[in-house]
């Protein structure tokens, strides 16, 4: 009876919880697993992301965003992929690795309560925001079609930032829009990690193939989290697309501008929500499934060595 109630997911959790506190190989491995899973999912879903970004900036329909990209030509379709590819790989490294390390500090042997998962997720999101906000800033400028002539490359953007003073490089350059980024990332990570494992565990008990619970759990969590925080996502995209001393409205002015340009209607802020759902479902579903698969592979090799 005991073996019948132990799903593969729970066996994995039991293995991580009962490992000797002195052995930190699992926790260092979590950084590598996060990097690989995020790299692969980012590359696969970048076209969807770019269409969504155009909607957030220009407040246009899906067909119009696709038409803009098609008109610019295929040579520009993957323009701006390198910053997100690098940043998302680093994001996976920091997000999963930091979360795992913080969770181990809060609860070395488990079980991990909702409070532990929420706190570890929140703090990992803070680390992620501080480390990766500059990458997102450059990416958002690159993907704004209105700035292709003025800033044709990453180097041209960095050159502009370095023309500011030291404080300007941070507040107007690399960390433009940092506070909504911090709020979005910390809350998003807390929500994702709080409910990812419970959903995955409940699905694993149904006898589904190993990859299905992880895929569904990641998709559901990513979708809900993104929809809850979508107004912050739109605000960040608009704030970080601005560049230059003369076009830097404050946080409140930026929020007011987004509200006004969307006709002061909530459903217009959520314009493009269908693609947001699709992108979030695919990205976090693939990321979670890949991470879970790699985690299982690592566990199997660890058991064979032992």
């Amino acid at each position: 009876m005991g073996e019948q109630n132990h799903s593969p997911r729970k066996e994995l959790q039991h293995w991580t919880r009962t490992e000797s506190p002195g052995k930190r190989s699992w926790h260092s491995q979590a950084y590598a697993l996060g990097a690989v899973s995020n790299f692969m999912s980012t590359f696969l879903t970048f076209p969807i992301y770019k269409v969504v970004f155009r909607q957030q900036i220009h407040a246009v329909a899906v067909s119009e965003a696709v038409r803009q990209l098609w008109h610019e030509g295929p040579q520009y379709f993957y323009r701006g992929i390198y910053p997100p590819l690098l940043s998302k790989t680093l994001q996976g490294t920091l997000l999963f690795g930091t979360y795992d390390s913080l969770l181990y500090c809060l609860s070395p042997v488990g079980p991990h309560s909702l409070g532990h998962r929420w706190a570890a997720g929140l703090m990992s999101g803070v680390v992620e925001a501080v480390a990766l906000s500059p990458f997102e800033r450059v990416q958002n400028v690159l993907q704004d079609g209105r700035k292709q002539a003025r800033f044709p490359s990453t180097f041209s953007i960095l050159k502009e930032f370095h023309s500011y003073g030291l404080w300007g490089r941070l507040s107007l350059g690399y960390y433009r829009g940092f506070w909504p980024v911090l709020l979005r990332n910390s809350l998003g990570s807390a929500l994702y990690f709080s409910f990812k494992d419970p959903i995955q565990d409940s699905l694993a008990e149904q006898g589904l193939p190993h990859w299905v619970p992880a895929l569904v759990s990641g998709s559901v969590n990513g979708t809900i989290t993104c929809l809850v925080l979508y107004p912050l996502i739109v605000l960040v995209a608009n704030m970080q697309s601005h560049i230059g001393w003369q076009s830097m409205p404050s946080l409140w002015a930026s929020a007011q501008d987004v509200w006004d340009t969307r006709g002061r209607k909530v459903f217009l802020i959520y314009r493009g929500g269908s693609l947001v759902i699709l992108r979030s479902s695919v990205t976090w579903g693939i990321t979670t499934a890949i991470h879970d698969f790699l985690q299982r592979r690592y566990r199997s090799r660890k058991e064979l060595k032992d």
Side-chain angles (χ1 to χ4, degrees):
M1 180 177 180
E3 290 184 3
Q4 291 176 347
N5 291 333
H6 283 173
S7 68
R9 176 69 191 169
K10 290 187 178 297
E11 291 175 0
L12 177 60
Q13 286 184 336
H14 175 75
W15 182 77
T16 59
R17 291 170 185 171
T18 57
E19 187 181 23
S20 172
K23 295 181 180 180
R24 299 307 303 271
S25 59
W26 171 263
H27 306 284
S28 62
Q29 188 72 14
Y31 291 88
L33 299 181
V36 173
S37 57
N38 266 42
F39 178 90
M40 295 178 67
S41 63
T42 300
F43 185 83
L44 293 172
T45 60
F46 182 77
I48 302 174
Y49 177 87
K50 196 160 186 177
V51 174
V52 171
F53 178 82
R54 287 297 176 90
Q55 284 193 304
Q56 294 170 349
I57 292 296
H58 303 296
V60 296
V62 175
S63 58
E64 176 60 22
V66 173
R67 190 197 66 79
Q68 289 181 9
L69 293 173
W70 181 263
H71 179 73
E72 292 170 8
Q75 68 272 24
Y76 289 108
F77 196 70
Y78 271 86
R79 169 184 158 89
I81 190 175
Y82 294 112
L85 200 60
L86 179 58
S87 66
K88 292 298 183 181
T89 301
L90 290 175
Q91 179 195 40
T93 305
L94 291 173
L95 194 63
F96 287 97
T98 305
Y99 170 78
D100 193 81
S101 298
L102 291 171
L103 192 63
Y104 177 86
C105 293
L106 293 172
S107 180
V109 295
H112 306 306
S113 66
L114 176 61
H116 290 147
R117 297 194 302 272
W118 177 273
L122 190 75
M123 289 185 286
S124 65
V126 170
V127 173
E128 173 197 354
V130 173
L132 302 181
S133 185
F135 292 96
E136 185 177 7
R137 166 68 159 140
V138 174
Q139 170 191 341
N140 283 338
V141 175
L142 279 173
Q143 293 186 150
D144 189 349
R146 298 169 297 185
K147 297 179 174 61
Q148 287 182 0
R150 184 182 175 190
F151 300 105
S153 65
T154 300
F155 177 77
S156 61
I157 298 173
L158 299 181
K159 185 178 179 180
E160 171 72 17
F161 290 168
H162 280 268
S163 68
Y164 308 152
L166 178 60
W167 177 248
R169 293 177 191 176
L170 298 176
S171 61
L172 301 178
Y174 296 107
Y175 283 93
R176 166 72 176 164
F178 174 70
W179 294 115
V181 169
L182 181 66
L183 184 61
R184 180 200 64 189
N185 288 17
S186 58
L187 290 179
S189 298
L191 288 170
Y192 173 76
F193 285 114
S194 292
F195 302 106
K196 175 177 71 72
D197 287 346
I199 295 176
Q200 190 169 339
D201 291 343
S202 63
L203 291 173
E205 292 175 352
Q206 307 303 316
L208 299 171
H210 292 335
W211 58 272
V212 174
L215 182 68
V216 174
S217 174
S219 297
V220 171
N221 268 284
T223 299
I224 294 176
T225 299
C226 193
L227 287 178
V228 169
L229 301 177
Y230 188 73
L232 284 175
I233 296 173
V234 175
L235 178 60
V236 168
N238 279 270
M239 289 188 69
Q240 291 192 338
S241 66
H242 288 282
I243 195 166
W245 289 89
Q246 294 78 21
S247 57
M248 287 295 184
S250 65
L251 173 60
W252 173 252
S254 298
Q256 189 67 40
D257 180 64
V258 170
W259 180 245
D260 291 338
T261 56
R262 267 61 177 183
R264 295 176 172 268
K265 296 180 180 179
V266 175
F267 77 90
L268 288 180
I269 293 180
Y270 278 84
R271 188 171 191 174
S274 59
L275 274 184
V276 172
I277 294 174
L278 176 60
R279 184 192 67 180
S280 299
S281 297
V282 173
T283 300
W284 284 109
I286 292 176
T287 299
T288 307
I290 293 174
H291 185 270
D292 185 74
F293 171 77
L294 295 175
Q295 197 176 51
R296 292 181 183 281
R297 293 268 297 182
Y298 176 77
R299 182 196 66 168
S300 298
R301 292 181 179 179
K302 181 79 172 177
E303 290 175 343
L304 288 175
K305 289 181 180 179
D306 294 342

